[in-house]
Amino acid sequence: MRLKIVQAGEPVLRVQARRLSRKELLSSETRQLIDWMRETMRDAPGVGLAAPQVGLPLALAVIEDPPEVQRAIPPEKLAERGRRPVPFHVIANPTLRLEGEPVEFFEGCLSLAGLTALVPRSLRAHVECLDHNGNPLTIHAEGWYARILQHEIDHLNGAMYVDRMHTRSLMTIDHFTRLWSELPIAEVKKNLGI
Ligand code: ZN
């Protein structure tokens, strides 16, 4: 089943999500929710979806950056972003440790439909969480995967990319694609007055 993705302004996007007990994580209700979140993320399409985005204040997110999505992106853009395929997985009750200089790229969010902005994020992210079976999972991520993790974990803390973006860079995805996507980030920043 495809779930409704809530948009900016829904209070659930601004609250601290609740941690799940291991029993709750393994319940048939949560397993069903994870299946529906996976289906909803793939349908959108997106590379991550957090439970608050489907209206539930739970510390749970699904992530997947499949090769078939990446095939549509030029190899030099993938390399610049450090973007490599990430198989489907679940993160529950994550804690995040950041490392490395911030790197700046445009990112979007399924809860800010049609918009994109330039967002600084740490190059590396280290995450301690539970997987879909309630087992401890440690993730050491770099590049785009580190960005996805930071974006999704922000959602679980009631934050969105608009809290971190260069405010002058907010634009429609349509304008980004037509006017800005081919320019180096340094030039984009100069032209936007950042
Ligand atoms: Zn988002």
Side-chain angles (χ1 to χ4, degrees), residues 9 14 26 42 46 48 52 58 60 62 69 90 93 112 115 123 128 140 142 145 149 180 182 190 193:
R14 290 311 200 174
L26 296 175
R42 287 177 175 171
L58 301 172
L60 178 74
V62 294
V69 170
V90 170
N93 303 345
L112 291 150
L115 295 172
L123 178 62
E128 301 280 346
H140 301 290
E142 192 175 307
Y145 184 25
L149 286 163
W180 301 94
E182 297 306 320
K190 186 165 153 268

Side-chain angles (χ1 to χ4, degrees), residues 5 10 20 27 40 44 48 53 76 95 99 103 125 135 149 161 171 176 180 194:
I5 299 177
E10 279 284 340
L20 291 100
S27 69
T40 304
Q53 294 183 274
E76 64 273 15
T95 58
E99 190 196 341
V103 285
N135 295 321
L149 286 163
Y161 78 68
M171 61 179 71
F176 171 72
W180 301 94
I194 296 166

